[in-house]
Amino acid sequence: MPDNIASVLTTDFLMKGVIIPLQSRLAPLNAFTKQFEPDPVKPLATVQIKVAGAASTTQVDPTNFAGGDSTLNAASVIMHQLSHPWHLTNQQFNSGIELKDLFEINVQKFARTILDTVMAPVTTPNFPGSPFVMSAAAFGISDLDNLWAAIAKSPIKNLILSGNYFIRIANKPGFYQPTGTESGAGWKPFGWDFIGQNDEWSGAEPNTWGFACNPQALGVVLGLPLQMDMPNVITTVLPLPGVKAKALLNVWMDANARTVYCTLDVMLGTTLLDGTAGVLVKSQ
């Protein structure tokens, strides 16, 4: 492979062009129970994600301190390979288009596809508790109280909102709110453990623009696909520390066509864990 192709895959380029925007867009995944599979996973493989089970019973004035037992359950998750391809032709290159220009738009599209897949279980049949209905224009800080109350029994309270809702509560100087970070870590105001922005709700129920939940509501399993060693393909594992996951970037060149090809790949599985642990935010 020509040196000019490999030269674009520097650490600085990957950080600025791929890793930072990808993990920032995937920050809403921090609202859910996540599990990263350390070994490569094949498509349609079934993996297990842990689910909190039953706690033991507190004893009063015990005479035997060895009693009691607690349990962890498991839920099955079917894994699917998401692979996002794009390419740069010789004609495009000579028209002034650079590989990094295509990285920007395709990284964003890849992230949207992941989020749409993860949000698919966010529906009223799965979370039958009364949805919180409010237009974006009417939504405000006081509505956080009602959402907090809707999941009051949850020891961990997370909230993800579409941008037109999120802006109504974000960065109000009078409330001394901490700002978000470049990695999309969100912020923790007013008794919430995590509040983040998500603008991809196509996979969820129509008119859904937010979701308040305990992480136990949804389970998300991320991993890397099985990969063959091919001498003409540059494969880079992309760490996404903001969401504690990884993705694969593959780049190769068709010398005859003078076309550079790229794919972003991840193994993803998502499942409903606890239908009582979440409340939908809807516009109607």
Side-chain angles (χ1 to χ4, degrees):
M1 183 175 293
D3 290 340
N4 63 325
I5 300 302
S7 66
V8 302
L9 298 177
T10 62
T11 300
D12 182 66
F13 175 80
L14 289 173
M15 283 296 296
K16 294 181 179 178
V18 183
I19 295 176
I20 290 176
L22 185 56
Q23 70 177 3
S24 180
R25 288 300 302 270
L26 296 181
L29 299 184
N30 288 320
F32 310 128
T33 298
K34 301 194 308 296
Q35 178 174 302
F36 178 70
E37 289 294 301
D39 297 323
V41 182
K42 63 181 181 180
L44 302 180
T46 299
V47 302
Q48 302 295 318
I49 185 171
K50 62 183 178 181
V51 185
S56 60
T57 301
T58 302
Q59 301 181 70
V60 179
D61 299 327
T63 57
N64 183 347
F65 296 90
D69 190 19
S70 56
T71 61
L72 277 178
N73 299 324
S76 298
V77 180
I78 298 176
M79 303 295 289
H80 300 278
Q81 182 174 359
L82 300 185
S83 184
H84 186 87
W86 72 97
H87 63 271
L88 176 67
T89 66
N90 182 63
Q91 181 179 1
Q92 291 172 324
F93 180 77
N94 283 282
S95 299
I97 298 175
E98 298 182 14
L99 192 58
K100 66 178 182 180
D101 298 327
L102 299 182
F103 266 77
E104 292 175 3
I105 59 175
N106 284 285
V107 165
Q108 297 294 329
K109 175 60 176 177
F110 183 58
R112 292 199 298 269
T113 302
I114 291 175
L115 289 169
D116 281 340
T117 302
V118 170
M119 296 300 165
V122 180
T123 64
T124 298
N126 284 337
F127 297 95
S130 298
F132 183 83
V133 180
M134 179 73 67
S135 69
F139 191 77
I141 290 288
S142 61
D143 294 306
L144 292 181
D145 297 340
N146 296 322
L147 285 170
W148 194 99
I151 55 172
K153 292 183 178 180
S154 169
I156 301 175
K157 297 176 177 64
N158 296 329
L159 175 63
I160 50 176
L161 292 167
S162 178
N164 54 343
Y165 283 76
F166 184 87
I167 193 60
R168 301 288 178 174
I169 61 172
N171 299 329
K172 308 297 182 184
F175 293 104
Y176 301 100
Q177 294 175 357
T179 59
T181 65
E182 196 170 26
S183 64
W187 38 280
K188 302 179 179 181
F190 318 123
W192 291 89
D193 293 276
F194 171 82
I195 295 182
Q197 180 181 346
N198 174 44
D199 290 313
E200 297 304 321
W201 297 94
S202 299
E205 183 173 284
N207 302 314
T208 299
W209 302 105
F211 189 56
C213 66
N214 181 283
Q216 201 77 352
L218 293 180
V220 180
V221 181
L222 293 159
L224 297 177
L226 295 171
Q227 187 79 358
M228 293 187 296
D229 291 329
M230 293 175 284
N232 63 325
V233 178
I234 297 174
T235 299
T236 305
V237 177
L238 307 178
L240 306 173
V243 291
K244 299 179 181 179
K246 296 178 182 178
L248 274 188
L249 171 65
N250 293 301
V251 180
W252 68 99
M253 183 176 185
D254 181 341
N256 293 324
R258 295 185 180 180
T259 297
V260 180
Y261 293 89
C262 305
T263 65
L264 278 168
D265 295 84
V266 70
M267 298 300 298
L268 174 66
T270 182
T271 187
L272 170 70
L273 294 181
D274 185 351
T276 68
V279 175
L280 278 65
V281 178
K282 304 191 68 175
S283 58
Q284 56 181 305

